[in-house]
């Protein structure tokens, strides 16, 4: 996702894990779009279950003016402030409620109404992290997942695409058309989406019973790069588990991100059809369909469960498709990026200090460092146990939310060992190992004294692979103290030492 074209920042509403009044079961939106105005007119029917009794129901909403709230013939009084809608109700814990809210306004964010590079008017949702409430009332937090249905009335020259499957498309007269889509898999608001633009639509192929389609601006109809998704999707199905959505649409868009993993309806930047690295971008966003969409982090602090996973599973796809050398080269480049970021900002991967402006979490910690943690975990417990743990994690949390501790518990069961120390040092510690290695050759004993010094605090515990001779098997040394010393037999003074030649350790090596 978001690879990373950041053109704006947002001020967000939530602090930590949100205590919610309700669990939303579904959103059903009816939306009217026009070419003569940026104002939208809409209604949303929200079905929910009360988690606690309340007389004041709150939905996140900004910039829209609510006209009325009702259930059938019954109308409810309500109030609005700059960021929320409050409905006066008699909600009892355990009961279900259905509320229809009619509203209108000009979205300042969340629904981007603009023109593409060819000058044509476009409509694209852009929800991450919590910007959906800028155009419809909702619980705008990743922990609340719901079914999503949308019916869009728009001028008939637009093609409308959204999550799920198309249920209906009817002409309304007056050059207007109604298009309805329905997603039956519960989604977080961040990955609910629709788009309306002058698209050229190509059926790229089917993966099993999953149709894979490409939506590009008509002027870019000769670009077929999105069709590569038909080769990427089967790999992740085989590696992780079944694809949860009824279709996969890859969509050229006009939003602030390089890619956005909307469930079954992925948005890519408008220049993406010509990207040199389009294949890895496609792999990243498709990996998100499992990690971030089907399994969603409980809170933004656990964003690495989405972005770190998509980063590493992209590397796994590239390793599978090309070679292990491709994986190593990417890991090496990512390591340099992580180290550079750590020098600028000393925060752990699971960052509990961020309570607003969640855009700042789109950084090397959430992406590359999270991916590196998965790589080291794979090396620690072995390929088979790693894969088994990932598949079981997906089975257990599919359609649900997961935290870092939830993932750790799954991998402990798969690996047969306690991983708390591993997770603590690599995910909850800001530091990265800074290693200084000293060599001293003794001619009389024909040995090399190797001294490994950890220059950071706190101290880490990890295996360090090394060799004095690239033609011989790697040696492994466990590091846990400030200074670790080992004597290595050597017939002659070595030309040097190769540290971590397999690229399996996230550390900075002093030159």
């Amino acid at each position: 996702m978001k690879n990373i074209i950041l053109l704006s920042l947002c001020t967000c509403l939530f602090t930590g894990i949100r205590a919610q009044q309700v669990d939303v079961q579904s959103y059903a939106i009816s939306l009217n779009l026009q070419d003569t105005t940026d104002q939208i007119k809409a209604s949303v029917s929200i079905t929910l279950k009360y988690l606690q009794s309340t007389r004041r129901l709150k939905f996140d909403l900004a910039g829209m003016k609510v006209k009325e709230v009702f259930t059938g013939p019954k109308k409810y009084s309500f109030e609005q402030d700059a960021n929320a809608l409050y409905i006066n109700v008699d909600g009892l814990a355990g009961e279900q409620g259905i509320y229809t809210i009619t509203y209108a306004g000009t979205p300042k964010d969340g629904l981007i109404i603009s023109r593409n590079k060819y000058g044509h008017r476009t409509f694209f949702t852009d929800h991450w992290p919590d910007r959906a409430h800028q155009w419809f009332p909702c619980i705008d937090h990743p922990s609340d997942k719901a079914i999503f249905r949308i019916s869009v009335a728009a001028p008939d020259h637009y093609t409308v695409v959204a999550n799920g499957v198309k249920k209906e498309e009817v002409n309304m007269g007056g050059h207007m058309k109604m298009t309805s889509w329905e997603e039956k898999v519960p989604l977080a608001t961040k990955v609910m989406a629709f788009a309306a633009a002058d698209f050229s639509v190509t059926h790229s192929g089917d993966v099993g019973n999953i149709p894979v389609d490409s939506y590009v601006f008509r002027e870019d109809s000769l670009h077929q790069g999105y069709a590569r998704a038909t080769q990427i999707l089967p790999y992740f199905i085989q590696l992780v588990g079944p694809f949860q959505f009824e279709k996969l649409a890859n969509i050229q868009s006009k939003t602030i991100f390089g890619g956005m993993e909307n469930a079954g309806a992925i948005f890519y930047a408008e220049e993406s059809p010509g990207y040199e690295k389009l294949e890895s971008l496609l792999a990243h966003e498709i990996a998100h369909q499992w990690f971030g969409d089907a399994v969603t982090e409980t809170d933004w602090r656990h964003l690495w469960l989405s972005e770190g996973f998509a980063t590493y599973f992209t590397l796994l796809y590239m390793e599978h498709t090309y070679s292990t050398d491709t994986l190593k080269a990417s890991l090496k480049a990512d390591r340099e990026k992580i180290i550079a970021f750590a020098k600028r900002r000393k925060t752990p991967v699971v960052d509990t200090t961020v309570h607003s402006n969640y855009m700042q979490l789109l950084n090397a910690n959430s992406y590359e460092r999270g991916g590196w943690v998965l790589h080291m975990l794979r090396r620690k417990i072995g390929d088979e146990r790693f894969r088994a743990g990932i598949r079981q994690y997906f089975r257990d949390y599919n359609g649900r939310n997961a935290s870092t501790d939830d993932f750790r518990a799954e991998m402990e069961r798969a690996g047969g060992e306690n991983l708390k120390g591993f997770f603590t040092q690599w995910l909850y510690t800001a530091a990265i190992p800074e290693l200084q290695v000293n060599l001293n050759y003794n001619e009389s004993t024909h040995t090399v004294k190797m001294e490994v010094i950890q220059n950071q605090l706190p101290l880490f515990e990890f295996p360090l692979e090394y060799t004095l001779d690239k033609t011989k098997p790697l040696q492994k040394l466990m590091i846990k103290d400030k200074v670790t010393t080992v004597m290595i037999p050597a017939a002659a003074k070595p030309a040097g030492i190769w540290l971590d030649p397999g690229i399996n350790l996230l550390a900075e090596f002093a030159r």
Side-chain angles (χ1 to χ4, degrees), residues 169-216:
E169 188 171 79
V170 295
N171 290 320
M172 302 170 62
H175 300 289
M176 293 290 288
K177 180 175 62 178
M178 175 71 76
T179 309
S180 299
W181 290 79
E182 180 179 16
E183 176 55 74
K184 296 178 181 178
V185 177
L187 303 176
T189 52
K190 65 172 185 167
V191 293
M192 294 176 181
F194 87 90
D198 294 330
F199 287 120
S200 173
V201 184
T202 303
H203 181 58
S204 303
D206 295 310
V207 176
N209 62 351
I210 303 161
V212 180
D213 300 315
S214 298
Y215 290 71
V216 300

Side-chain angles (χ1 to χ4, degrees), residues 9 24 119 151 340 381 508:
L9 298 178
V24 176
S151 296
I381 67 176
E508 182 177 9

Side-chain angles (χ1 to χ4, degrees), residues 103-152:
Y103 61 98
T106 301
K108 295 182 179 179
D109 201 357
L111 174 56
I112 308 301
I113 304 172
S114 64
R115 295 188 179 273
N116 66 15
K117 61 182 178 178
Y118 299 109
H120 301 310
R121 187 169 166 85
T122 61
F123 301 81
F124 290 98
T125 53
D126 205 7
H127 290 173
W128 201 94
D130 58 349
R131 294 154 58 216
H133 72 278
Q134 299 282 347
W135 74 275
F136 78 95
C138 59
I139 304 297
D140 209 358
H141 191 274
S143 64
D144 194 282
K145 304 178 75 168
I147 292 169
F148 179 69
R149 298 188 296 271
I150 187 165
S151 296
V152 180

Side-chain angles (χ1 to χ4, degrees), residues 250-266:
N250 295 285
I251 304 162
Q252 187 179 11
S253 73
K254 177 73 175 180
T255 59
I256 69 171
F257 297 123
M260 180 60 218
E261 66 271 17
N262 305 309
I266 303 171

